[in-house]
Amino acid sequence: MRRFLRPGHDPVRERLKRDLFQFNKTVEHGFPHQPSALGYSPFLRLMAIGTRSGAIKLYGAPGVEFMGLHEENNTVMQIHFIPDQCQLVTLLDDNSLHLWSLKQHGGASELLEEHRFTLKGPPGSPPSATQVTAVLPHSSREVLYLGTESGNIFVVELPSFRVLEDRTITPEAVLQRIPEDNCNRRSCELVEALREHPKNPDQILIGYSRGLIVLWDLQNNKATHHFLGSQQLENLYWQRDGSKFISCHYDGSYTQWPVSSDNRQPEPLENTVPYGPFPCKAISKIYWQTTKNGLPYIIFQGGMPRASYGDRHSISVIHGSQQTAFDFTSRVIDFFIIFSSDPAAEFDDPSALVVLAEEELVVIDLKSAGWPAVHPPYLASLHCSAITCSHHVSNIPLKLWERIISAGSKQNIHYSSMPWPIDGGTNIAPDPPQRDLLLTGHEDGTVRFWDASGVCLHLLYKLSTVRVFLTDADPNDNMNTLGEDEWPPLRKVGTFDPYSDDPRLGIQKIYLCKYSGYLAVAGTAGQVLVMELNDEDAEHVVDHAEADLLQDQEGYRWKGHEKLKTRDGPVRFEAGFQPFVLVQCQPPAVVTSLALHSEWKLVAFGTSHGFGLFDHQQKRLVFVKCTLHPSDQLALEGPLSRVKSLKKSLRQSFRRIRRSRVSSRKRRGGSGNASEVQEANAKFDQDALQEMELAPVQRKIEARSAEDSFTGFVRTLYFADTFLRDSSRHCPSLWAGTNGGTVYAFCLRVPPAERRMDEPVRAEQAKEIQLMHRAPVVGILVLDGRSTPLPEPLEVAHDLSKSPDMQGSHQLLVVSEEQFKVFTLPKVSSKLKLKLTALEGCRVRKVTVANFGSCKTDDYSENDLAVLTNLGDIQIISLPFLKLQIRYPCIRKEDVSGIASCVFTKYGQGFYLISPSEFERFSLSTKWLVEPRCIVDMPEVTINNHVHNKAGTENAARKS
Amino acid sequence: EFRRFSLERSKPGKFEEFYGLLQHVHKIPNVDVLVGYTDIHGDLLPINNDDNYHKAVSTANPLLRIFIQRKEDADYSAFGTDTMTRKKNVLSNVLRPDNHKKKPHIVISMPQDFRPVSSIIDVDILPETHRRVRLYKYGTDKPLGFYIRDGSSVRVTPHGLEKVPGIFISRLVPGGLAQSTGLLAVNDEVLEVNGIEVSGKSLDQVTDMMIANSRNLIITVRPANQRNNVVRNSRTSGSSGQSTESSLPSSTPNILGNLLQGEEESDEEDIIIEDSGEPQQIPKAAPTSESIESLSQIELLHESTQNGFLPSTEMNLNHSAGSISMEYEVPEPGRKSLEEDGTIITL
């Protein structure tokens, strides 16, 4: 950018820039991608989630969030909070242990890594000697017990991670203390579980993989009891009073064992196979929770009959005669129970079951009848159906906000009313300055409305467009209608459902007018719906129109999907946004651009064939314009042939992405499934690399011509009240920009309000601009006489914006992928330009006008363009002079889906997907910054707190 | 028929005078003729203005062989910097025009009718191992026609020789502009695109930069074959090398970048159709200080191309003139706008 660094560096402007712009990635919304471990501290009431990429995230009360990242980017295998401390230990799949602390700094808490440690065996010993399989943070807070694959249990001091070698519990020492007839050296291979006695901190229960369980006295260094299980052991759990414990096994059984001083080798009290008698899958984790009424809760993961339900991801809850197997749509990573943490309490009295599945977090209220789910305030599964588009609306008027919330609350009646049980820490962030909505469109035809004002992205309301259409799936088909006496008693829980019945339902464009409550939604099969907010249920007919975008073009054949079939007759809609107009484009190609003008009551839509304007007041199509180039056969044939033609280049770019990943990735041991996937990936990488060496990647250098494909693809639509024909009279206008660098301007005649229903809206083409560089037009904007962008429809009517300057001459800004150009109006002459691609080799992907306020003075703000390029950089470009202000790297350029998903807000913030389930929030503004700021105080620790429950250590020994 | 006469080498005069002299010597005062001469390499080159007339005189050694043809049966393809073998044929064609029945399809005479398709520029400011090539895409139907790829090259750095990633030409499309110029070749390393260094940029970025500049593309390459390099301060090298001792002001590559920016402002006028009327070029709005600056830059560059233009530029016939029907008159320097007509098709 030599151009901008040339003389004329204005120090005043430079200072102002510092007060206006600043780049921060502030918070990640949604559900962590590929979670791999879960931990919970009943003392701090914080939950921790670890991921396969080495991230660790802590959640407490809504707004309380911390994030840490292990440098190694290795999978987090286990997370254990240190009892009664603001500390936790993580175990990674490279066998390293990490100690993290929550420290207060500058009035807020921060999560910091303090120490790291890898257990080292004597020289020459195999790696399995020190491979950690079970971790037990002792309630003394001074030591960690580390069970290993070799059967040795090492003791390390905290926080220094110094190994106390004289305290190691070796298999030999254990075997000396128990009769030899039923044990041998092999019985003590691989420590599966370590559990501290709930009442006596000097005793720990050691479970070996082959079934031997030993109660070890730390004081006297000897085994006091041993228990001979016949089945391979999965996990252990103490009853609260320490008189019994329960073990669960590989064959799907669980066993209760008594612990008393008179019998050193007790027999099991009870051995149960809950889903027998046929072979069952392993029960990998079990809880035994006592209650006042005497009936315990037994909660366990797995154990389903192998043959018929072996593929289910279930957690069963048994309480007296009640039994439910909660059935999850994705693999269960781990779970924990929230129960009474008061050490003096006699019973556990569990209140909630918290399950981390691979794709969502599910919390079950165990106190209410029927065990309903609790609506989580955060960790929303954004991807319960794949996100296809997003739209952000800033500063929602209170009235609309309340109506959306009320519509949403009617959808959430099946949720429990229990307050969110994970409520540790205090949110000290200031209240969000305004109400913001993020709308996401999904593959299954739904639009989700998220409260994006603060740190917690919270689902307010879900809108489905499916009811308008006839689809194969019967909407009354309910997955949960299982008979009463069905066995096992499965119950589907959670919202994650990645399967779409019909991809044509997918939402592609959304436009919400926050003043009128009109919503336009457009989809994959050329459908455009206009909706209105209604606070009541209603049954009505949706007006239906067809827009033939090909008009009289002949000889073309659409080879893509068919249009969606509509329902005849009235349709019942629940309270919320209810469609009243449906326009279907013909051919039914995906809608590529959409604009709504709520004041003129017009909706404009564009596809790869052309664009149209619909009057949703009179329910009449005003005009259509075909933008096809006669030679562009591809656009007509539909998405199938397009895939074919792009296949090669897609394959190439895929390879390139793969290659860049392989270099950064590290080998992981991982569980069986994951390592298989990785092997397959590695093989693919290798193949791709070989192929690449044979044929190097080349790029063709060719000027764009009018004959290129998809030149008619409509990229942007824009309504403006401006001077299109002459400088004395302004009129409504519609602007459209295509992939081939053409801008069309139509002059509209909208009848005055009193005759709005009587006279038709008329449109006439007034201008057509062909950009000579022919790059796709991605943005069109009209600046008023003061060079301010024209306000949104109804913005002035609601006194939220100054009325535009209609005296001075207006200017037209056309943003293509390669250049920014300002033209005068009404006579189009070029005034200014910025040639981004020619100078920097990057192309514009997203562009929005954003308002930036100064952090120093309240009364200064300015409008600039926020631009995201194909390299993942964000640039801020001034208006109206098109000077580059500042540039920040934001998204990796290989992250194509991240770049495609980016959406800017009107006040210089933005969102983009960092995984299918997570939005990263960033801010370009010094003034508008939404980031977590919270504090975690140490709750008071009861003196001599040896007799506290140990839920903090509940996470011992998941199979690694 | 042959004539022999003498000229004063130090004062050759103007081309007009020389032309009159020729007509007088041959006693053909009212016949339009085409004048050519053989240079030191034996290439047949035209004489049609002061510049190449002076050039011809100065290179006479000591004899200047001049060929004169009637304009109507002139064989334009005879001119050019071709090899000796072809030149022989050319000469025989010229000497026995009746053997050659093919008529030229376009009558051309003055340099305005020639349009540059490529040139080597900035020879005086670039290292000898580099070559800066300008491709004039506008006005030709030929594709630019080349491919680039990633590769690595060896650079001298403060830490010794280092292998660094670079961008290379990987393929030339037969019949494309790039190939027809003969100035670019496979495995040439691309160093700059329109004055902007490509080091540190990805293949895709460089691709985008080239396409964005495709209408007036200037690429600086390090040719894979270094044997044809221009040798400075020597009159014994090839004719093109000699002649590219142009009058460009000695400037840095950065200035080139700015010059190009300025020049490009003029060559890329968008088109507007008002009320479905005739397509027109979009005019420039009232000049701001910035555009004044750019105008002066245009002139500068214009001058430099004129100077370096005739001797150093390969010329092609303006085929497009006949083949494109819709065409509008554009004043200088807007003659680059020829290709813009075919694009306005009102659907």
PDB file of all heavy atoms in Angstrom, chain A residues 612-627:
ATOM      1  N   GLY A 612     -35.794 -10.203  -9.733  1.00  0.00           N
ATOM      2  CA  GLY A 612     -37.182  -9.772  -9.834  1.00  0.00           C
ATOM      3  C   GLY A 612     -37.550  -8.886  -8.668  1.00  0.00           C
ATOM      4  O   GLY A 612     -36.852  -8.823  -7.662  1.00  0.00           O
ATOM      5  N   LEU A 613     -38.659  -8.165  -8.835  1.00  0.00           N
ATOM      6  CA  LEU A 613     -39.163  -7.279  -7.793  1.00  0.00           C
ATOM      7  C   LEU A 613     -40.617  -7.646  -7.543  1.00  0.00           C
ATOM      8  O   LEU A 613     -41.414  -7.758  -8.485  1.00  0.00           O
ATOM      9  CB  LEU A 613     -39.050  -5.823  -8.247  1.00  0.00           C
ATOM     10  CG  LEU A 613     -39.518  -4.769  -7.243  1.00  0.00           C
ATOM     11  CD1 LEU A 613     -38.606  -4.738  -6.027  1.00  0.00           C
ATOM     12  CD2 LEU A 613     -39.578  -3.394  -7.887  1.00  0.00           C
ATOM     13  N   PHE A 614     -40.958  -7.846  -6.276  1.00  0.00           N
ATOM     14  CA  PHE A 614     -42.317  -8.252  -5.921  1.00  0.00           C
ATOM     15  C   PHE A 614     -42.910  -7.240  -4.960  1.00  0.00           C
ATOM     16  O   PHE A 614     -42.255  -6.794  -4.017  1.00  0.00           O
ATOM     17  CB  PHE A 614     -42.287  -9.646  -5.278  1.00  0.00           C
ATOM     18  CG  PHE A 614     -43.648 -10.275  -5.126  1.00  0.00           C
ATOM     19  CD1 PHE A 614     -44.223 -10.981  -6.169  1.00  0.00           C
ATOM     20  CD2 PHE A 614     -44.352 -10.150  -3.932  1.00  0.00           C
ATOM     21  CE1 PHE A 614     -45.479 -11.558  -6.041  1.00  0.00           C
ATOM     22  CE2 PHE A 614     -45.609 -10.724  -3.797  1.00  0.00           C
ATOM     23  CZ  PHE A 614     -46.169 -11.429  -4.846  1.00  0.00           C
ATOM     24  N   ASP A 615     -44.153  -6.884  -5.234  1.00  0.00           N
ATOM     25  CA  ASP A 615     -44.882  -5.949  -4.395  1.00  0.00           C
ATOM     26  C   ASP A 615     -45.673  -6.774  -3.383  1.00  0.00           C
ATOM     27  O   ASP A 615     -46.674  -7.399  -3.746  1.00  0.00           O
ATOM     28  CB  ASP A 615     -45.806  -5.117  -5.294  1.00  0.00           C
ATOM     29  CG  ASP A 615     -46.746  -4.230  -4.497  1.00  0.00           C
ATOM     30  OD1 ASP A 615     -46.699  -4.277  -3.258  1.00  0.00           O
ATOM     31  OD2 ASP A 615     -47.530  -3.511  -5.133  1.00  0.00           O
ATOM     32  N   HIS A 616     -45.222  -6.816  -2.129  1.00  0.00           N
ATOM     33  CA  HIS A 616     -45.915  -7.717  -1.209  1.00  0.00           C
ATOM     34  C   HIS A 616     -47.135  -7.087  -0.574  1.00  0.00           C
ATOM     35  O   HIS A 616     -47.839  -7.708   0.193  1.00  0.00           O
ATOM     36  CB  HIS A 616     -44.950  -8.336  -0.185  1.00  0.00           C
ATOM     37  CG  HIS A 616     -44.312  -7.388   0.772  1.00  0.00           C
ATOM     38  ND1 HIS A 616     -44.969  -6.845   1.820  1.00  0.00           N
ATOM     39  CD2 HIS A 616     -43.041  -6.914   0.835  1.00  0.00           C
ATOM     40  CE1 HIS A 616     -44.147  -6.072   2.506  1.00  0.00           C
ATOM     41  NE2 HIS A 616     -42.968  -6.093   1.926  1.00  0.00           N
ATOM     42  N   GLN A 617     -47.399  -5.833  -0.888  1.00  0.00           N
ATOM     43  CA  GLN A 617     -48.644  -5.209  -0.454  1.00  0.00           C
ATOM     44  C   GLN A 617     -49.774  -5.640  -1.389  1.00  0.00           C
ATOM     45  O   GLN A 617     -50.778  -6.189  -0.980  1.00  0.00           O
ATOM     46  CB  GLN A 617     -48.485  -3.688  -0.485  1.00  0.00           C
ATOM     47  CG  GLN A 617     -49.743  -2.940  -0.130  1.00  0.00           C
ATOM     48  CD  GLN A 617     -49.722  -2.498   1.331  1.00  0.00           C
ATOM     49  OE1 GLN A 617     -48.866  -2.922   2.099  1.00  0.00           O
ATOM     50  NE2 GLN A 617     -50.648  -1.644   1.695  1.00  0.00           N
ATOM     51  N   GLN A 618     -49.551  -5.405  -2.674  1.00  0.00           N
ATOM     52  CA  GLN A 618     -50.576  -5.810  -3.647  1.00  0.00           C
ATOM     53  C   GLN A 618     -50.417  -7.269  -4.053  1.00  0.00           C
ATOM     54  O   GLN A 618     -51.225  -7.788  -4.803  1.00  0.00           O
ATOM     55  CB  GLN A 618     -50.463  -4.935  -4.907  1.00  0.00           C
ATOM     56  CG  GLN A 618     -50.874  -3.503  -4.687  1.00  0.00           C
ATOM     57  CD  GLN A 618     -50.858  -2.731  -6.001  1.00  0.00           C
ATOM     58  OE1 GLN A 618     -50.966  -3.305  -7.075  1.00  0.00           O
ATOM     59  NE2 GLN A 618     -50.725  -1.426  -5.902  1.00  0.00           N
ATOM     60  N   LYS A 619     -49.369  -7.895  -3.608  1.00  0.00           N
ATOM     61  CA  LYS A 619     -49.054  -9.289  -3.948  1.00  0.00           C
ATOM     62  C   LYS A 619     -48.992  -9.472  -5.454  1.00  0.00           C
ATOM     63  O   LYS A 619     -49.696 -10.267  -6.066  1.00  0.00           O
ATOM     64  CB  LYS A 619     -50.071 -10.235  -3.314  1.00  0.00           C
ATOM     65  CG  LYS A 619     -50.157 -10.016  -1.799  1.00  0.00           C
ATOM     66  CD  LYS A 619     -50.838 -11.137  -1.094  1.00  0.00           C
ATOM     67  CE  LYS A 619     -50.674 -11.038   0.406  1.00  0.00           C
ATOM     68  NZ  LYS A 619     -51.401  -9.927   1.034  1.00  0.00           N
ATOM     69  N   ARG A 620     -48.130  -8.664  -6.068  1.00  0.00           N
ATOM     70  CA  ARG A 620     -48.032  -8.651  -7.512  1.00  0.00           C
ATOM     71  C   ARG A 620     -46.551  -8.564  -7.884  1.00  0.00           C
ATOM     72  O   ARG A 620     -45.775  -7.841  -7.258  1.00  0.00           O
ATOM     73  CB  ARG A 620     -48.750  -7.407  -8.041  1.00  0.00           C
ATOM     74  CG  ARG A 620     -49.094  -7.418  -9.520  1.00  0.00           C
ATOM     75  CD  ARG A 620     -49.765  -6.107  -9.904  1.00  0.00           C
ATOM     76  NE  ARG A 620     -48.818  -4.988  -9.820  1.00  0.00           N
ATOM     77  CZ  ARG A 620     -48.028  -4.607 -10.828  1.00  0.00           C
ATOM     78  NH1 ARG A 620     -48.076  -5.213 -11.984  1.00  0.00           N
ATOM     79  NH2 ARG A 620     -47.191  -3.603 -10.678  1.00  0.00           N
ATOM     80  N   LEU A 621     -46.190  -9.319  -8.904  1.00  0.00           N
ATOM     81  CA  LEU A 621     -44.823  -9.260  -9.404  1.00  0.00           C
ATOM     82  C   LEU A 621     -44.673  -7.985 -10.229  1.00  0.00           C
ATOM     83  O   LEU A 621     -45.454  -7.754 -11.155  1.00  0.00           O
ATOM     84  CB  LEU A 621     -44.553 -10.497 -10.267  1.00  0.00           C
ATOM     85  CG  LEU A 621     -43.114 -10.741 -10.697  1.00  0.00           C
ATOM     86  CD1 LEU A 621     -42.233 -11.033  -9.497  1.00  0.00           C
ATOM     87  CD2 LEU A 621     -43.048 -11.899 -11.676  1.00  0.00           C
ATOM     88  N   VAL A 622     -43.715  -7.141  -9.885  1.00  0.00           N
ATOM     89  CA  VAL A 622     -43.579  -5.869 -10.604  1.00  0.00           C
ATOM     90  C   VAL A 622     -42.810  -6.079 -11.911  1.00  0.00           C
ATOM     91  O   VAL A 622     -43.250  -5.660 -12.972  1.00  0.00           O
ATOM     92  CB  VAL A 622     -42.873  -4.815  -9.719  1.00  0.00           C
ATOM     93  CG1 VAL A 622     -42.722  -3.504 -10.470  1.00  0.00           C
ATOM     94  CG2 VAL A 622     -43.648  -4.613  -8.436  1.00  0.00           C
ATOM     95  N   PHE A 623     -41.652  -6.710 -11.838  1.00  0.00           N
ATOM     96  CA  PHE A 623     -40.925  -7.009 -13.072  1.00  0.00           C
ATOM     97  C   PHE A 623     -39.901  -8.089 -12.793  1.00  0.00           C
ATOM     98  O   PHE A 623     -39.571  -8.383 -11.645  1.00  0.00           O
ATOM     99  CB  PHE A 623     -40.239  -5.757 -13.648  1.00  0.00           C
ATOM    100  CG  PHE A 623     -38.981  -5.359 -12.931  1.00  0.00           C
ATOM    101  CD1 PHE A 623     -37.732  -5.823 -13.364  1.00  0.00           C
ATOM    102  CD2 PHE A 623     -39.021  -4.523 -11.832  1.00  0.00           C
ATOM    103  CE1 PHE A 623     -36.579  -5.469 -12.691  1.00  0.00           C
ATOM    104  CE2 PHE A 623     -37.869  -4.168 -11.160  1.00  0.00           C
ATOM    105  CZ  PHE A 623     -36.639  -4.638 -11.592  1.00  0.00           C
ATOM    106  N   VAL A 624     -39.417  -8.688 -13.872  1.00  0.00           N
ATOM    107  CA  VAL A 624     -38.251  -9.558 -13.760  1.00  0.00           C
ATOM    108  C   VAL A 624     -37.251  -9.116 -14.809  1.00  0.00           C
ATOM    109  O   VAL A 624     -37.619  -8.523 -15.835  1.00  0.00           O
ATOM    110  CB  VAL A 624     -38.578 -11.052 -13.968  1.00  0.00           C
ATOM    111  CG1 VAL A 624     -39.417 -11.590 -12.837  1.00  0.00           C
ATOM    112  CG2 VAL A 624     -39.222 -11.281 -15.297  1.00  0.00           C
ATOM    113  N   LYS A 625     -35.984  -9.376 -14.554  1.00  0.00           N
ATOM    114  CA  LYS A 625     -34.937  -9.012 -15.509  1.00  0.00           C
ATOM    115  C   LYS A 625     -34.002 -10.208 -15.621  1.00  0.00           C
ATOM    116  O   LYS A 625     -33.465 -10.682 -14.614  1.00  0.00           O
ATOM    117  CB  LYS A 625     -34.176  -7.791 -14.978  1.00  0.00           C
ATOM    118  CG  LYS A 625     -32.864  -7.506 -15.658  1.00  0.00           C
ATOM    119  CD  LYS A 625     -33.047  -6.644 -16.874  1.00  0.00           C
ATOM    120  CE  LYS A 625     -31.716  -6.410 -17.569  1.00  0.00           C
ATOM    121  NZ  LYS A 625     -31.903  -5.773 -18.886  1.00  0.00           N
ATOM    122  N   CYS A 626     -33.835 -10.685 -16.829  1.00  0.00           N
ATOM    123  CA  CYS A 626     -32.920 -11.801 -17.035  1.00  0.00           C
ATOM    124  C   CYS A 626     -31.519 -11.234 -17.239  1.00  0.00           C
ATOM    125  O   CYS A 626     -31.312 -10.325 -18.037  1.00  0.00           O
ATOM    126  CB  CYS A 626     -33.353 -12.607 -18.253  1.00  0.00           C
ATOM    127  SG  CYS A 626     -32.281 -14.008 -18.544  1.00  0.00           S
ATOM    128  N   THR A 627     -30.564 -11.740 -16.516  1.00  0.00           N
ATOM    129  CA  THR A 627     -29.195 -11.213 -16.598  1.00  0.00           C
ATOM    130  C   THR A 627     -28.261 -12.189 -17.303  1.00  0.00           C
ATOM    131  O   THR A 627     -27.051 -11.977 -17.327  1.00  0.00           O
ATOM    132  CB  THR A 627     -28.631 -10.965 -15.182  1.00  0.00           C
ATOM    133  OG1 THR A 627     -28.798 -12.156 -14.424  1.00  0.00           O
ATOM    134  CG2 THR A 627     -29.344  -9.837 -14.505  1.00  0.00           C
TER     135      THR A 627
END
